[in-house]
């Protein structure tokens, strides 16, 4: 069931991101708006667009979240592999599972290392 859902979620995400999907939605809203005078802007007329957009939005949230979760996980695995196979420390592998405070500590360490490197750069340039 998971593979079927993933395939369907991916297909829907790709399809809804196309210009024709936007044009179809825009055309639907325009047709709905144009029929307002015909139906005397009744509550039923308003309910049609409200119900339709609510259902579509509700379903799209789950499909988009699924797609983003898979993409994010794939990117993390790729980054972890680059870190693991590189010459640098492997301390950063898996930091996406840390708390926000712990990640902020890593960010501060990186900022200090960057500043130290920038301070050392002009000294090295002067010696040349």
């Amino acid at each position: 069931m998971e593979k079927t859902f993933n395939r369907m979620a991916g297909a829907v995400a790709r399809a809804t991101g196309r210009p024709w999907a936007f044009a179809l939605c825009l055309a639907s809203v325009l047709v709905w708006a144009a029929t307002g005078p015909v139906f005397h802007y009744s509550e039923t007329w308003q309910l049609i667009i409200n119900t339709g957009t609510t259902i579509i939005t509700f379903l799209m949230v789950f499909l988009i979240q699924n797609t983003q979760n898979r993409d994010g996980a794939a990117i993390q695995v790729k980054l972890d592999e680059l870190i693991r196979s590189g010459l640098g420390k492997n301390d950063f592998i898996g930091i996406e599972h840390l708390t926000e405070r712990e990640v902020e500590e890593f960010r501060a360490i990186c900022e200090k290392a960057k500043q130290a490197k920038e301070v050392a750069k002009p000294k090295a340039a002067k010696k040349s």
Side-chain angles (χ1 to χ4, degrees), residues 7 19 28 36 50 63 69 73 75 81-83 105 111 122-123:
R7 278 195 300 266
S28 299
N50 290 339
L63 292 175
N69 287 348
I75 288 169
E81 177 58 17
L82 287 172
I83 293 168
E105 289 172 8
E111 189 60 35
K123 290 178 184 176

Side-chain angles (χ1 to χ4, degrees), residues 107-121:
R107 190 174 291 136
I109 291 168
C110 289
E111 189 60 35
K112 285 179 185 175
K114 177 184 173 193
Q115 289 173 353
K117 189 174 182 180
E118 287 174 355
V119 169
K121 235 185 223 182

Side-chain angles (χ1 to χ4, degrees), residues 73-112:
I75 288 169
Q76 285 302 317
V77 169
K78 290 174 185 180
L79 290 171
D80 287 349
E81 177 58 17
L82 287 172
I83 293 168
R84 188 195 60 73
S85 64
L87 298 175
K89 292 183 184 179
N90 292 338
D91 295 346
F92 290 93
I93 292 178
I95 67 168
E96 69 275 7
H97 301 294
L98 300 177
T99 66
E100 190 172 339
R101 192 181 106 261
E102 292 169 325
V103 171
E104 196 55 44
E105 289 172 8
F106 268 100
R107 190 174 291 136
I109 291 168
C110 289
E111 189 60 35
K112 285 179 185 175

